Amino acid sequence: MAIEVRVPTILRSYTGGAKTVEGAGETLTALIDDLDAKHKGLKGRLITPEGGLHRFVNIYVNDEDVRFLGALDAKLSDGDSITILPAVAGGALGFAAAAALLGRPSKHLAAAVSTKG
Amino acid sequence: MSAATPGSPHSHGNVNSVLTIDSAIVDAIVAHARRDHPDEACGVVAGPIGSDLPTRLIPMDNAARSMTFYEFDSMEQLRVWREMDDNDEEPVVIYHSHTATEAYPSRTDISFAGEPGAHYVLVSTRESDSEEIRSFRIVDGVVTEEEINIVDATVDA
């Protein structure tokens, strides 16, 4: 089962500079484990020590954000195309507060932030 | 404005210690920041890969719609990043505004900075009659301020 994975610049140090790598797995978790076996250390940039999807990256299956597809449990099929992008975020807000708001779908983030004023 | 200084041997690829950018693009970034004030505004300026020249302004939604935080909408980002790929472009500038503080990267900005090749441009709109606009490289958590060389007509009209 071959799944194409597009790797952003900031993570290409793990893939020997390759923009695209191939992996296999029936779920995103399995795919990331497979990728980590070939590109040591990649997993740590995608998954937190607590086992959640890292807030610094967005991962897409074909045209959908995996956060809307069950995150790490997202089911994958042969021929799927995975895109990893660095999440673009920041702002004057303190890091702890910002971090607490991230790692959840943007649609929920907007509501969460607006209640904080 | 001063000319670009030669990149050090340790610089990354085409990275220079100066951002050269068209005045029309700077004006549009400032106008976007003013329009969204007091919320933070954010966006990208794409340019041909390897050129280090920002040519195509893409204002992005701040999915957080917040005065102290910005986040690209993940689906809009995918669309824009693919479009850049198709055009052989890359994000030369990633900009956002601070609406009550100085135009200097916050710890949050530094933690999230995920495009080592990009110029991170910050605009402060805290003063109503003047803007502070500054540019930085943020690589591996290290912030380096650079000059902004504002020029006319690097973009074809």
Side-chain angles (χ1 to χ4, degrees), chain A residues 6 10 55-56 58 60 62-65 83 85-95 98 102 106 109-110 113 117, chain B residues 40 63-64 66-72 74-75 77-78 81-82 85 94 96 98 101 106 108-109 111-116:
Chain A
R6 302 180 72 164
I10 195 164
R55 59 184 172 268
F56 297 119
N58 293 329
Y60 305 87
N62 303 320
D63 294 324
E64 189 62 273
D65 185 334
T83 303
L85 294 182
V88 182
L93 184 67
F95 179 69
L102 282 163
S106 305
L109 181 69
V113 172
Chain B
E40 292 192 4
S66 163
M67 295 188 281
T68 53
F69 188 66
Y70 80 96
E71 187 194 23
F72 284 7
S74 65
M75 296 311 297
Q77 188 189 348
L78 178 65
W81 255 244
R82 281 198 178 151
D85 239 18
I94 294 176
H96 76 282
H98 284 175
T101 54
S106 66
T108 309
D109 295 331
S111 301
F112 276 95
E115 290 285 1

Side-chain angles (χ1 to χ4, degrees), chain B residues 27-37 39-43 57-62 95 97:
Chain B
D27 291 349
I29 290 173
V30 169
H32 181 201
R34 282 284 170 216
R35 201 159 62 234
D36 286 10
H37 184 91
D39 285 349
E40 292 192 4
C42 55
L57 178 76
I58 310 161
M60 302 284 287
D61 278 345
N62 177 359
Y95 70 89
S97 61

